[in-house]
Amino acid sequence: MIDTDSPQPDLGPLRAAAEAEAVAQAACGLVSIDGCRLADNDPLASLARRIARSVTEAGLPLHHCPRHHPLYRLGGVCVLAVPPGLADGRAGITVSWTPHNLLVLDWDRYGTYTGTQQAMNTALAGVLRAFGYLAAPFGSGGAWLVTGHRDDDPGAGR
């Protein structure tokens, strides 16, 4: 029998610590387009961390993008810093969906793979807009290039 008269423990501090850990884990694995860890002093690091936090808050898993990472196979949202020379002169953060390797490696389901990737990238656009990011299509695979946040751009949204 459960004693409903005894006071429940305050789980607020435990929840806050768990949330802080989830955000810290998301931010520590960020990389640049060349697969190297994104340096804290990189001009794109702050935006990349902000996006990683938003994606985590939305409940989406972050992809461990470097191919050598043991969790690479799991898929998720890929967040990569792109220097200005690779994106038509624009610097930013690419955001895209990467399916689990179980789907990627099954060539008989290639249509399912591409359909899933397209649907999830479309959904990511909605998530990015909901969080206020300035994003434009990037490349031919459905990725998004985030160049800033509407709160940081005085001319945005007017």
Side-chain angles (χ1 to χ4, degrees):
M1 180 178 216
I2 298 174
D3 181 7
T4 58
D5 293 331
S6 64
Q8 297 294 317
D10 180 12
L11 297 178
L14 183 59
R15 285 188 187 118
E19 290 167 4
E21 175 63 20
V23 170
Q25 284 295 322
C28 78
L30 297 173
V31 296
S32 62
I33 196 102
D34 60 5
C36 296
R37 184 180 176 280
L38 190 60
D40 290 339
N41 63 352
D42 187 296
L44 295 171
S46 177
L47 180 59
R49 283 192 299 270
R50 195 171 180 181
I51 293 168
R53 178 186 183 100
S54 297
V55 168
T56 300
E57 289 174 342
L60 298 170
L62 283 178
H63 182 231
H64 299 277
C65 300
R67 288 190 176 272
H68 64 275
H69 195 286
L71 299 177
Y72 172 82
R73 65 184 170 75
L74 299 178
V77 178
C78 186
V79 177
L80 293 172
V82 177
L86 299 177
D88 299 328
R90 301 174 294 167
I93 308 298
T94 61
V95 181
S96 62
W97 183 257
T98 301
H100 193 292
N101 271 5
L102 291 173
L103 188 56
V104 175
L105 299 176
D106 185 354
W107 290 108
D108 291 336
R109 297 173 61 202
Y110 183 75
T112 303
Y113 162 76
T114 57
T116 299
Q117 189 171 31
Q118 182 179 19
M120 291 302 293
N121 280 330
T122 300
L124 276 174
V127 170
L128 292 169
R129 279 193 299 272
F131 276 93
Y133 293 103
L134 307 173
F138 179 75
S140 60
W144 299 94
L145 182 68
V146 177
T147 55
H149 191 274
R150 70 173 168 242
D151 292 345
D152 301 334
D153 185 356
R158 293 184 188 162

